[in-house]
Amino acid sequence: QADVFTFDPGFTSTASCESAITFIDGDKGELLHRGYAIGELASKSHYLEVCYLLLYGELPTAQQLEDFTNRVTNHTMLHEQMMQFYRGFRRDAHPMAIVCGVVGAMSAFYHDSTDVNDPWQREVASIRMIAKLPTITAWAYKYSVGQPFVYPSNDLDYASNFLRMCFAVPAEEYVVDPILSRAMDRIFTLHADHEQNASTSTVRLAGSSGANPFACIAAGVACLWGPAHGGANEAALNMLREIGSVDRIPEYIAKAKDKDDPFRLMGFGHRVYKNFDPRAKVMKESADEVLALLGVENNPTLQVAKELEKIALEDPYFVERKLYPNVDFYSGIILDAMGFPTSMFTPIFALSRTVGWIAQWKEMIADEKQKIGRPRQLYTGAAHRDYVDVENR
Ligand code: SDX
């Protein structure tokens, strides 16, 4: 039975909720989903199987997995009218703005699965979101690059379908590279859930008011966008590119340590991990493997990342503060090598995390004791005072 956690000595707080989905030991750098270690799931399982585990609590039998996969595969299409919704955005809109808007708009298209008090509607909404987020996300990318939308194909697995919807064009045949598909699936798995992080807590708080599931997940997308959270993968790659070469690393290490400089090493540090983020370890191995298989192992950004990690982990400032690379430090290098622009990194994080948000939302909704969330405050404002007319101020 996991104990109540103290998140930070200077900011001790009891747990915000009880949950049986994900366990993190920040000191040991341990991450379990329903008791299974993330390293084992990333190497032996795959994303839809991890989705089943997060949602239903157990690894599926072969039949259960086949049924679940078929349900997801057969719900990947979007209501055709939603295509018009995209056309209301500017072409240069950030894909996260589009994903956030379209997910919220699902409340307006899928009325028959918005009643949170109906377990069947909750299940339908959950499958619809897991199935449609790849389509929504891929179409946000296509819209941003001015290419025609590509419909999902029921012949492809989840990750391959997403890659094809992103990179296929009508002018030529698109064959999914199994290396990219495996790497994509592993990135989905590594981002699937992560206990009560900021965006998951946002989803829970929104859900506690009885808001419909699509609105709750849209709230999670909005929160994830911040550079201190899911937006860090985009910021980390931009930082590594700005550093550009290993001889410029000391300059950025100094900036990160300078209290008067707001700059922080993006992809470094964590609210809970005071040891290596276990996902970062798997992501680093995956970066080596994928870039070598793609023949770009000498990618300068990867060299900068590895040298930056090495120098930071030997620097007393980072060691004393227990700052290690997190999930966002290497993920952008892989996504960049796969052909994604940095603006697509956080939408891919949101796509992956949708199952975690849904599993946590379902767990909360199913708890009859659940009440609306209502955080309190320490009031630091003026004591009671009488009104003063404007002529006397
Ligand atoms: C994610 O919560 C989750 O689980 C999130 C996530 C998930 O899967 O949902 O894991 C995904 O959001 C990962 C984090 C991605 N963000 C980044 O990589 C952005 C860069 N990192 C930081 O901004 C920072 O580390 C945070 C926001 C992640 C945590 O910030 P905190 O809570 O301020 O960190 P802390 O309290 O542990 O800081 C201790 C000290 C402070 O210095 P002092 O006041 O003690 O002198 O370390 C410093 C901080 O200023 N510090 C950094 C730093 N991170 C913390 N200094 C330089 N570079 C950094 N990256």
Side-chain angles (χ1 to χ4, degrees):
Q1 177 68 23
D3 205 345
V4 168
F5 292 101
T6 50
F7 292 100
D8 182 307
F11 176 47
T12 301
S13 69
T14 55
S16 60
C17 67
E18 289 183 10
S19 176
I21 299 171
T22 290
F23 173 79
I24 298 174
D25 183 321
D27 294 327
K28 293 182 191 159
E30 187 179 38
L31 168 58
L32 307 178
H33 289 320
R34 301 286 192 181
Y36 296 96
I38 189 62
E40 263 208 296
L41 293 172
S43 59
K44 297 177 180 173
S45 184
H46 59 83
Y47 183 67
L48 278 190
E49 184 174 76
V50 172
C51 286
Y52 187 99
L53 174 67
L54 290 170
L55 289 169
Y56 307 113
E58 298 295 335
L59 288 171
T61 63
Q63 188 57 55
Q64 287 168 332
L65 181 59
E66 184 185 340
D67 295 344
F68 180 72
T69 302
N70 288 337
R71 288 171 67 204
V72 172
T73 303
N74 288 290
H75 284 87
T76 50
M77 292 255 309
L78 280 183
H79 187 296
E80 193 68 4
Q81 187 77 13
M82 291 189 87
M83 208 177 267
Q84 305 312 326
F85 196 79
Y86 280 80
R87 296 200 164 91
F89 289 98
R90 287 172 45 133
R91 286 281 181 179
D92 61 354
H94 193 292
M96 274 299 274
I98 299 177
V99 170
C100 192
V102 174
V103 171
M106 288 178 83
S107 318
F109 287 89
Y110 299 107
H111 296 293
D112 59 350
S113 58
T114 53
D115 177 359
V116 299
N117 298 308
D118 177 344
W120 173 243
Q121 290 197 29
R122 295 203 297 261
E123 184 65 15
V124 169
S126 302
I127 295 295
R128 275 174 163 160
M129 281 189 276
I130 293 167
K132 297 177 193 307
L133 254 290
T135 310
I136 290 170
T137 308
W139 285 14
Y141 170 60
K142 283 306 207 186
Y143 188 73
S144 72
V145 294
Q147 290 181 355
F149 295 137
V150 175
Y151 288 98
S153 162
N154 288 357
D155 301 331
L156 296 173
D157 63 67
Y158 195 84
S160 302
N161 218 352
F162 176 65
L163 289 170
R164 180 177 165 278
M165 287 191 282
C166 287
F167 296 128
V169 289
E172 59 193 21
E173 183 64 24
Y174 180 79
V175 178
V176 180
D177 180 335
I179 299 167
L180 298 190
S181 182
R182 179 73 194 123
M184 191 79 262
D185 189 274
R186 186 176 293 170
I187 285 180
F188 290 160
T189 298
L190 290 171
H191 289 85
D193 188 51
H194 209 241
E195 202 222 64
Q196 305 313 315
N197 57 85
S199 53
T200 298
S201 301
T202 300
V203 170
R204 278 181 173 259
L205 197 55
S208 73
S209 75
N212 76 69
F214 306 110
C216 295
I217 301 306
V221 173
C223 176
L224 186 77
W225 195 357
H229 190 13
N233 53 17
E234 177 177 0
L237 191 78
N238 290 335
M239 173 192 74
L240 292 169
R241 281 177 171 162
E242 184 186 321
I243 294 173
S245 62
V246 295
D247 59 322
R248 294 190 65 206
I249 290 173
E251 171 194 340
Y252 283 82
I253 292 278
K255 272 171 63 70
K257 291 157 63 173
D258 178 355
K259 281 297 153 217
D260 297 329
D261 190 325
F263 173 78
R264 286 192 163 182
L265 285 188
M266 300 317 283
F268 250 79
H270 200 274
R271 289 302 281 130
V272 176
Y273 288 123
K274 301 310 170 189
N275 196 324
F276 260 94
D277 178 336
R279 301 166 298 174
K281 283 184 182 172
V282 179
M283 203 69 87
K284 182 178 178 181
E285 290 157 13
S286 199
D288 282 332
E289 179 192 333
V290 172
L291 271 66
L293 288 169
L294 292 175
V296 290
E297 60 274 23
N298 297 323
N299 176 314
T301 311
L302 179 59
Q303 305 319 317
V304 168
K306 287 183 172 180
E307 186 63 17
L308 174 58
E309 176 189 349
K310 181 172 170 294
I311 294 171
L313 294 183
E314 291 163 359
D315 185 300
Y317 173 93
F318 295 90
V319 173
E320 284 157 16
R321 292 167 175 80
K322 298 182 179 178
L323 301 175
Y324 292 86
N326 60 50
V327 68
D328 295 311
F329 191 63
Y330 285 102
S331 57
I333 292 168
I334 302 171
L335 292 171
D336 172 53
M338 293 171 75
F340 289 104
T342 54
S343 61
M344 279 298 290
F345 292 4
T346 308
I348 288 169
F349 191 154
L351 183 176
S352 314
R353 182 57 55 87
T354 294
V355 66
W357 289 330
I358 288 170
Q360 301 263 355
W361 167 78
K362 287 181 78 173
E363 181 181 64
M364 179 200 67
I365 291 283
D367 172 4
E368 266 98 47
K369 301 189 307 295
Q370 171 61 36
K371 292 184 182 303
I372 186 168
R374 181 57 175 87
R376 293 309 307 273
Q377 65 180 16
L378 286 177
Y379 180 66
T380 58
H384 181 267
R385 50 187 168 166
D386 296 331
Y387 182 80
V388 177
D389 293 331
V390 65
E391 55 273 12
N392 300 324
R393 289 175 201 159

